[in-house]
Every structure is written in C-alpha cells, then in structure tokens.
Amino acid sequence: MAGLGRACLLLALAVCAYGIGASLYGVRSGRTEFAESGRRAVYALAVILTVAIAVLEIAFLRNDFAFKTVADTSSRTTPELYKAAAVWSSQEGSLLLWAWLLSLWASLALFLTRGRMREVSAYATAILLGFGGFFVALMVIYATPFATTSPVPAEGVGLDPLLRFPTMAIHPPMLYSGYTLCTIPLAFGMGALLARRVDAEWLRAVRRFAFAAWLMLGVGILLGARWSYAELGWGGYWGWDAVENASLMPWLTGTAFLHSLMIQEKRGMLKVWNVSLVLATGTLAIMGTFLVRSGVLNSIHAFGGATLGVPFVALIAALIAGSIYLVVSRRDMLRTEHRLDSLLSRESIFLANNVVLVALCFVIFWGTYFPLISEALTGQEASVGPPWFDRYTVPLALILVLLSGIGPVIAWRRATLANARRNLIAPAIVALLALVVLLVAGVAHKPFAIAMFCCAAFVLGSIGQEFFRGVRARRAMAGEAPPLALLALVRRNRRRYGGYIVHVGMAVLFVGVAASSSFQHASELALTPGKSARVGAYTIRYVRPTATITPRFDTAHTGSTLSLGAVLDVSKHGRHVATLSPSEGYYDSGEPSQGSVGHLIGGQAVSHISMSAGVTRDVWTAIAPNITTPALARIVTIGNRTLPPEEAEVAIAYLARAYLKNPPPAQFHLIVSPLVMWIWVGGMIVFGGGLIAIWPAPSAVRRRVSVRMRARATQGLARA
Amino acid sequence: MNVLIAILTLVLLAVVIAVISAPLRATRSRPDGASRERSELEAAREAKYREIRDAELDYRTGKLSREDYEAVDRALRGEAVEILNQLQAPSGPEED
C-alpha cells in the first residue's frame, strides 16, 4: 500500500501546482471558471491527503513494518491507541498531518466563502495551495511517510514511551489545527491586499477562522501543558521551552487581532495594524512548525544538515518579504477612516491591550530566537531560562489581566469620566476585598501573586457587573425571569458575552498559575519503605514497593516491559488524604547488543506520576527506582548469559520479585501545588466562552435582526 | 497488490479530474462587479447594525450617558442609512 501513498503525494503535488496556476490565471484573466476550478483543487487535495493519511493509519494499525515509519515508531507491543497516534510522532508523519489538516480547513474556509470575494478568494486559494504544495513537496523530496524497508523487520522499535499518554494523541492534531487555521486569515489577508479589496468583507470572512485558530491553538497549548504536568516527571506545566513558546507567539498575536479587528469593523481604523497582525500570526505559525521540524532546536548547526531547515527558512523569508511588500505597496488603501474620539473609550483600551500582547510576543520571540541567533553567530550555546522570561512576562501579564477587566466596562467611541468611575467602583471594591483577605491570610510576601489575585478579582467583579446589568436591562425591556433574561442576553450578543466569559476564564487560569508557581512546596529525596517525608502541610509515607511485568499487565497501559513503583500514603495532620502509586516504566530498546534480558528493559525509562488533584491543591509524586544495584544488575547479567530471547521474561519476573523482596532506596519527587486545577478549569471556561463567541446565530435570526435594525436605523433618522 | 494499487490510483485520479474540471465544463460566468460591491456594502451594513446594537447595550448597562448615547446613536444611524442608500441607489447594486 506504500505505492498508493506515494502516488497520493505525487498527485497532491500536481493538484497543488494546477490549483495555483488555475486560481491565478482565473483572477488575472477574469475567467471565473478557472478560479472555481482552483478552489476545487483544494477540495481534491483534501480528498487525496485523506486517502494518504488513511493508508498510513492502516499500516500502523496492521503493524505493517514494510513502512519504514511504522517500523521506526511503532511495535506490536505498542497499545492500539498509541499506534493510531504514532502516525504524527515522526517527522514525515507530522508533515502529512500538517498538510492534511491544512487541506481540510482550507476546504472549509473556501466552501463557506464560495460565491463571495471572488478575487480575494482566488488569491487566497493560490496561497493556501502554495502552503499545501510546500509541505507535500517536503514529503516527496525529503521525508516521505511512505518509504519502505527491505528486508521487513519482524518487530518495530516502538513509540517513544514519553508519547504514550492519551493527551499526546490529541495534542498534536489540536496544535496543528491551530497552526493551519492561522494560515487561512493570512491567505485571505494577502489575497485582500493583492486584490486591493481591504474592506469589511474580508475581515468578516476571516474573523471566524481567526477565532477558530485562536481556540484550537489555545486548546493545543493547554493540552501540552497538561501533558507536561500530568505525565512528565518534572512536575511543571510550563517551562518556557522553545516548542511551547513557538505555539504561544501566534496565539498572542491572534488574541491581539481578535480585539483590534473590532476597532476596524466599527471605526475603519487600524487597517495596517490588523493586516500586519494577520500576516504576523500566520508567519509565526509557520515559524512554530519550523522550530519543531527543522532540527534547529537540537543544534543551530543541525538545521543546515537536517534536510528541512533550508526550505523552511526560504518559506519564512518569502512570507516576511511578501508581507512587508504588500503592506507598504498598499498603504494608500490602508489609511484609517476615523480617529479616536476619546482616550477614554473601549478602542483605546483595546489599543493598550494590543500593545501589551505584542510586547509579550516580542519578549518571548527574543527569548526563544536570540539564543539560536547567538549560537549561530558565536558558535557558543546560549539559553534563556524561566527567570529571564518571568522578569518581563509577569508584569506584562498583570497589565493584561487588569485591562481585560477595564475594557468591558468602558463604552465604545466615548465614555465620560463619571461613567467610567461609576462602572469601576464595584470591580475595585471586589479587588480590594480580595487584597484584604489575602493580607489577613498572611501571603504578603509574594507581591506579584497578590497583585495577580487582585487583578483577577477585579476582572471577576467587572464581568459579574456586566452580566448583572445586562440581565437587568433585558428584564426591564422584555420582562423575562433572570435565567431566561441571561440566556437571551448571551444568545443575542454572543460575541460580547462569549468574550466576557473568555476573560473570566483567563483570570481564573492566571490565578492558578500565580498560586501554583508562588506557593508551591517541593522536595526531592530518597526513601525506603516505612519512611516519611514532609512537604508543606502534608506527610507522605512510602508504604511498600510495587512491580508489574510484561506489556500486557502494565498498569499504566503504555506497553512497558517492567514497571517499578511505590504505594504512598498521603496524610495531613494525621488524617489520611490519599493513596498514591507513582511508578517508572522500563521499555524494550529493541537493541540485541544489550542482551536477551537487557534489551527488554534497556529502552528509555519513563516516569508515570501519581497525584491527588483537588480544588485547593494537588499533591504530585514521581518515583525513580534504583535498578542498578549489584543484586539486580547481576540478575540481568546472568539472564543475558543463560536465557534465550523467548525465555528472557523469566529473568524480568525474577528481577521484579527481587526488587519487591529487598527494595533499595527510591528517589522521590514530591510536590504540593495550590490551585493548579484552576488552570485547567480556567482553560475550559475560555474554551466554553470561545465556543459561544464563535457559534453563528441561525440565519433566520440574523435575517430577523437585520430587518429590525434596518427599520430602527431609518426610523431613528426620520425622528432626528 | 500492485494491480490493486494501480486501480485505486486511477480511480482517485479520475475523481480528482472530475472534481477539478467540473467548472471548466460548465457555462462560463463573468465576474459580477455589482455583486462584489453589494457584498462589501452588506458587510459594512451588518457591521454598522452591530455597532448600533453595541451602543444601545453600552447605554443600557450604564456605560454611556443619555446625551452621549443619543449623539452616538444618531451618528451611527446616519452612517447606516448612508450605506442603505448606497445599496438601494439606482446605479448601485440591485437588491437580491
């Protein structure tokens, strides 16, 4: 079936080339049938790449090791869920995923805008097919997912154990959906500039996709953070790692765009800024893919050697140069139509929010790319750690949260000082109350955390007030009961109130971040069974060791050959709180040189953490058992010498028994973090608010509103 | 297996050609300048309606004083009527 996959890629490349040519010819010559044919080329690309990814999925699920990528990243012992997800664990598989998702989202975007903005759509089609063609070409020339092996190995290497977690099965598709969705506003933005039609319509067309990109990227980022926290053995959810940063940057510029586009929609202002944000977001999404896929992160010198580095740099350079050229050459049509009526208006708050978001993006960009540039120039490795990022991002995040509370209570166009003061009193009182409570609770020694809690309380107060007043106004107008009035209010003003819910979610999320990073207790120490350690207010006792053998009985269901762990008793002031069972999985390395027994546990050892998650705190534990003691090492050595491969598991069972009988001291990583759960709760609130904001009103309702507004606009003028 | 792959590839190729070439086989249509103008104006009209509703909500939730609201509302309605007039102008794009 690899032949069918390869044929799909060649066909996809041909379709991209044809579609680009047809779209450009159609728009330049005015022959709409060619532009329409180009648009259909995107649909055809989606069909072809769906077949290609299905071929690869089937190969993984059938353990078809004739496919090189299956042999390299899967095995018979890899659990089925992870076999399915292993498709995107490799370089070539993730390129296919990228191209496939792009083709699906692009098809949806072009289908929804069919019959409208013909010129803009035609250029956007060509650009989207250009991206598709680029990724397909990478697969055809450099990294094909359909390469075959000869002779076909009997067993594969297996999926990297670090990736054998449920969140990793959906994290990459979500993140890549965000990245690929970011290219749609970019394509339409460039299309609008090329067609010289930078009006309200293209903005209306891209708004929903910009929001979808923002939402998907946000969910992808949060799933990555959750994976890092709940699966990896270091106990954190965000490490300012370059890959994390790469996904955060387009999300930040996307957030800025979602705010500033409202100013352009309402006032015809910030056209240059908006189109620049759209282009920057799309380019940052491509740069994010470049960071992960080019090999540049292993070493700056790797990317020249790694085959994908140079093509990616060429694409990014073309995007940046093209964007600058288009914005500069079209500056006459990007002139603003109005000026700010008042410095005290929602427009000016949104402007301030944009400045902070872009400043945040710039700081992260500098901290992520500067070490790479510096290493390229000086040859010396450089890195910027979390303290550097925290120094700049914490104050900016504080301002951002504060602005997200001020914005909703300030009117568009003009707000009087008296009105603003009146609207800010209640949120300020809520923030002040929070401050008093925090000071009484005795947490004055963490000023940034206190400031964040107060800002979040301010946001909750301000949004709470907005909902209260909105419901009150609705009740006064329609005489509805409060729940009905609330429902009607949100349904009739989805963007506004969905956006407010997003603000609440972000405030809650930041509370979780500030609390967990400022008031965390952590301890790393060796314990033997029966011994205890104190972490914060909790006592954690090592009750007994545990061991399971063979992938079939692996309690973590990740396919490890041997899993050693511990039962821990967590108590507070003498009262039992939870029983935890962290473990470490040992995997088959597939390396015969390690011996018949040694290779069964010679792969990467992966920690399976155990935690008690609660509303107020998480107790998080990880274990690193010691299996290199002379007694245990001797079992492996003797097994290697005496046991044939088919009986090697006997030695693993013997090793497990020996470990249970005489457990050596194990290294434990124990963390008590307050309010971590609120990070995930906040994320879910953001997601819910985002869905409300993005969900379209039924067309019948839109028509009804449009007719009513028309009558109202004309009547009003007649009266005036 | 090779024959099966060849057949599947040919079927896929046929589907792709059918999908892509359909518009080229259909009757030609010229770009409609009027409908383009109309779409733009409709987008502007919807944005203006939204602005009017937002201003009203701002007023009802206490963010705008009565005087400011009346001034803003009057201006917005004027702008909306201007767009409606353009949509209805005899030389402009026709109503659907």
Side-chain angles (χ1 to χ4, degrees):
Chain A
M1 293 301 273
L4 180 60
R6 281 194 295 271
C8 282
L9 291 184
L10 290 174
L11 193 54
L13 198 58
V15 163
C16 288
Y18 167 78
I20 293 169
S23 302
L24 292 178
Y25 175 69
V27 70
R28 305 297 290 185
S29 65
R31 297 190 57 182
T32 51
E33 67 272 25
F34 277 92
E36 176 62 18
S37 177
R39 185 167 64 83
R40 281 167 171 255
V42 178
Y43 302 163
L45 181 68
V47 172
I48 296 165
L49 292 179
T50 302
V51 173
I53 207 152
V55 166
L56 200 57
E57 272 293 354
I58 291 167
F60 270 94
L61 293 174
R62 290 177 58 211
N63 298 317
D64 189 347
F65 300 124
F67 284 69
K68 189 174 179 304
T69 185
V70 179
D72 288 346
T73 57
S74 187
S75 64
R76 291 178 202 282
T77 57
T78 302
E80 295 299 312
L81 168 69
Y82 303 120
K83 275 183 195 167
V87 170
W88 42 84
S89 69
S90 65
Q91 174 87 302
E92 52 278 8
S94 63
L95 290 176
L96 181 56
L97 178 71
W98 213 103
W100 178 58
L101 289 171
L102 174 78
S103 70
L104 293 182
W105 293 123
S107 296
L108 183 65
L110 292 170
F111 179 75
L112 292 176
T113 54
R114 69 194 183 286
R116 293 194 281 131
M117 301 188 301
R118 287 181 191 276
E119 292 169 30
V120 177
S121 283
Y123 283 120
T125 302
I127 292 163
L128 289 168
L129 283 170
F131 285 131
F134 174 81
F135 279 89
V136 173
L138 289 182
M139 285 185 277
V140 170
I141 300 167
Y142 298 112
T144 177
F146 302 104
T148 49
T149 52
S150 182
V152 177
E155 177 60 301
V157 174
L159 179 65
D160 185 336
L162 274 176
L163 304 178
R164 298 183 189 193
F165 296 100
T167 42
M168 280 316 285
I170 47 172
H171 164 63
M174 292 303 277
L175 207 58
Y176 279 21
S177 284
Y179 280 154
T180 49
L181 275 165
C182 283
T183 62
I184 289 170
L186 176 137
F188 275 86
M190 281 190 158
L193 289 168
L194 284 164
R196 296 177 181 275
R197 308 213 65 88
V198 196
D199 48 39
E201 207 189 0
W202 86 269
L203 216 54
R204 186 172 68 164
V206 302
R207 189 181 61 213
R208 192 149 283 142
F209 285 97
F211 212 117
W214 177 87
L215 208 57
M216 291 279 193
L217 208 51
V219 172
I221 291 168
L222 210 65
L223 283 175
R226 176 71 194 172
W227 168 69
S228 177
Y229 177 67
E231 315 293 2
L232 296 186
W234 68 290
Y237 44 80
W238 192 263
W240 293 112
D241 169 69
V243 176
E244 294 169 340
N245 297 347
S247 57
L248 185 59
M249 286 185 275
W251 188 84
L252 289 170
T253 50
T255 311
F257 172 68
L258 289 175
H259 286 87
S260 62
L261 82 82
M262 284 188 257
I263 304 179
Q264 185 176 337
E265 274 183 330
K266 289 177 189 296
R267 310 300 316 280
M269 294 159 63
L270 301 183
K271 288 181 181 175
V272 172
W273 179 252
N274 277 331
V275 86
S276 303
L277 279 179
V278 161
L279 301 180
T281 303
T283 307
L284 284 168
I286 299 286
M287 288 178 86
T289 313
F290 157 75
L291 263 190
V292 184
R293 291 290 148 212
S294 66
V296 70
L297 290 177
N298 303 329
S299 163
I300 187 71
H301 306 293
F303 101 99
T307 46
L308 303 188
V310 174
F312 262 112
V313 168
L315 174 67
I316 291 163
L319 276 175
I320 294 172
S323 301
I324 293 171
Y325 167 75
L326 282 173
V327 172
V328 171
S329 63
R330 269 52 170 183
R331 63 187 182 283
D332 53 326
M333 56 198 310
L334 292 170
R335 279 206 194 96
T336 186
E337 292 165 23
H338 296 100
R339 299 206 166 274
L340 272 180
D341 285 344
S342 160
L343 272 179
L344 193 63
S345 60
R346 193 173 291 185
E347 294 92 306
S348 53
I349 302 293
F350 275 14
L351 261 180
N353 140 307
N354 263 239
V355 170
V356 175
L357 282 165
V358 172
L360 261 172
C361 183
F362 179 76
V363 166
I364 296 167
F365 185 91
W366 186 255
T368 307
Y369 287 96
F370 171 73
L372 298 174
I373 296 166
S374 161
E375 192 186 335
L377 295 177
T378 63
Q380 289 186 330
E381 266 191 50
S383 68
V384 173
W388 185 90
F389 283 102
D390 291 345
R391 194 181 313 145
Y392 301 102
T393 55
V394 170
L396 287 169
L398 277 171
I399 299 170
L400 197 61
V401 175
L402 189 65
L403 288 173
S404 73
I406 296 174
V409 297
I410 303 290
W412 284 102
R413 293 204 177 209
R414 64 175 96 172
T416 59
L417 209 54
N419 272 353
R421 205 181 301 131
R422 197 172 60 238
N423 290 329
L424 288 169
I425 282 178
I429 290 173
V430 176
L432 208 64
L433 279 175
L435 178 66
V436 172
V437 170
L438 290 166
L439 292 177
V440 169
V443 291
H445 58 293
K446 298 284 184 183
F448 277 122
I450 288 188
M452 183 55 83
F453 295 151
C454 292
C455 287
F458 180 84
V459 174
L460 296 181
S462 116
I463 304 292
Q465 175 179 267
E466 274 302 290
F467 271 95
F468 173 75
R469 289 184 175 177
V471 169
R472 195 177 58 186
R474 177 82 206 155
R475 291 190 70 198
M477 274 161 50
E480 293 163 333
L484 274 182
L486 177 66
L487 204 66
L489 182 75
V490 175
R491 215 175 46 206
R492 283 162 182 267
N493 302 278
R494 291 166 200 257
R495 273 172 73 184
R496 178 183 284 226
Y497 287 95
Y500 288 170
I501 294 170
V502 169
H503 284 201
V504 169
M506 288 308 298
V508 170
L509 189 149
F510 274 115
V511 165
V513 171
S516 58
S517 53
S518 302
F519 303 103
Q520 185 184 79
H521 295 278
S523 178
E524 271 194 78
L525 72 171
L527 291 176
T528 49
K531 297 286 179 195
S532 300
R534 226 178 131 72
V535 186
Y538 293 85
T539 302
I540 299 173
R541 191 167 66 87
Y542 181 3
V543 180
R544 62 181 170 81
T546 60
T548 55
I549 57 164
T550 81
R552 247 177 334 129
F553 300 113
D554 169 21
T555 47
H557 307 294
T558 61
S560 65
T561 320
L562 172 68
S563 176
L564 300 177
V567 172
L568 301 175
D569 180 77
V570 182
S571 60
K572 189 179 180 185
H573 308 310
R575 289 178 63 183
H576 173 75
V577 173
T579 301
L580 301 178
S581 308
S583 64
E584 182 145 273
Y586 300 88
Y587 296 81
D588 191 340
S589 68
E591 195 53 65
S593 63
Q594 290 178 321
S596 60
V597 175
H599 82 80
L600 289 177
I601 53 171
Q604 190 180 2
V606 171
S607 180
H608 298 129
I609 68 110
S610 179
M611 68 174 156
S612 159
V615 174
T616 54
R617 56 89 195 109
D618 283 5
V619 180
W620 184 102
T621 60
I623 182 175
N626 180 6
I627 60 162
T628 57
T629 61
L632 298 176
R634 201 176 314 120
I635 294 170
V636 176
T637 311
I638 293 171
N640 279 342
R641 231 178 12 232
T642 58
L643 292 172
E646 60 274 15
E647 291 172 21
E649 280 185 1
V650 173
I652 301 297
Y654 193 73
L655 190 150
R657 224 172 10 245
Y659 182 83
L660 290 177
K661 205 170 166 189
N662 289 308
Q667 196 71 22
F668 287 92
H669 191 183
L670 311 168
I671 302 174
V672 176
S673 284
L675 307 186
V676 178
M677 183 176 277
W678 294 98
I679 297 174
W680 323 122
V681 171
M684 282 188 272
I685 296 173
V686 169
F687 185 66
L691 279 184
I692 290 173
I694 201 173
W695 209 263
S699 55
V701 173
R702 281 205 304 270
R703 273 198 301 274
R704 216 165 43 232
V705 169
S706 189
V707 168
R708 202 174 59 234
M709 291 307 297
R710 181 189 180 127
R712 187 159 132 46
T714 43
Q715 272 174 14
L717 198 76
R719 273 205 309 271
Chain B
M1 182 60 104
N2 284 343
V3 176
L4 180 67
I5 289 170
I7 292 170
L8 287 173
T9 307
L10 285 174
V11 168
L12 192 60
L13 185 65
V15 169
V16 166
I17 290 172
V19 168
I20 289 177
S21 64
L24 303 178
R25 287 181 272 120
T27 323
R28 270 199 200 184
S29 66
R30 306 294 303 171
D32 183 357
S35 92
R36 196 175 58 195
E37 287 294 317
R38 167 155 217 96
S39 308
E40 282 171 21
L41 286 169
E42 280 172 353
R45 181 191 62 190
E46 294 310 314
K48 200 54 68 186
Y49 286 169
R50 182 179 293 280
E51 214 178 337
I52 293 172
R53 287 167 60 202
D54 279 345
E56 186 180 359
L57 199 54
D58 279 350
Y59 166 62
R60 291 191 184 280
T61 52
K63 290 195 278 283
L64 274 177
S65 66
R66 184 166 190 86
E67 299 74 43
D68 280 346
Y69 168 61
E70 282 173 356
V72 167
D73 188 53
R74 200 178 308 119
L76 287 173
R77 286 183 205 189
E79 289 164 17
V81 168
E82 205 173 297
I83 296 169
L84 288 171
N85 286 342
Q86 284 181 49
L87 274 164
Q88 287 172 331
S91 58
E94 286 174 15
E95 194 74 65
D96 288 331

